[in-house]
Amino acid sequence: MERAWSHAEVLDLARSMHAEVPTKNRWYRFRIYKNSFVGTKAVSWMLGTGRAQSVGEAVRLGNLMLDKGCIRHVCNEHAFKNKYLF
């Protein structure tokens, strides 16, 4: 059974991720997206720090952070995925 995360825990996770997952300016379709990270790096960080026990759990946590407004896709077009999306 998957662990239930409180709102405060999700916010704390997002703060830690913001501090530790590398961000940089990224170009896509002639546009720059400042200080963005990619889903694959966030998933790797969650697994590496023990915040998630599986890729599926990391993606679920990413979507929790998305639902709580802690993170977002740069164009608001995608859910959180373990892909090179920013």
Side-chain angles (χ1 to χ4, degrees):
M1 190 162 118
E2 292 182 350
R3 177 178 181 259
W5 287 68
S6 71
H7 182 75
E9 289 173 316
V10 173
L11 293 177
D12 184 55
L13 175 66
R15 283 186 200 104
S16 295
M17 192 174 81
H18 178 72
E20 297 176 28
V21 173
T23 61
K24 67 180 189 176
N25 296 342
R26 298 173 195 279
W27 288 89
Y28 181 69
R29 293 189 178 179
F30 305 107
R31 221 172 139 202
I32 191 166
Y33 297 96
K34 295 184 177 189
N35 300 318
S36 57
F37 67 90
V38 294
T40 53
K41 295 290 185 188
V43 167
S44 293
W45 175 80
M46 285 186 257
L47 292 170
T49 59
R51 304 273 197 327
Q53 303 305 309
S54 68
V55 170
E57 183 181 16
V59 170
R60 186 176 73 82
L61 288 171
N63 280 302
L64 278 173
M65 288 186 282
L66 190 76
D67 292 343
K68 302 278 186 203
C70 302
I71 62 172
R72 68 177 189 89
H73 177 262
V74 294
C75 296
N76 295 317
E77 294 177 351
H78 294 279
F80 182 88
K81 298 176 185 175
N82 184 26
K83 294 189 174 186
Y84 191 85
L85 295 172
F86 47 94

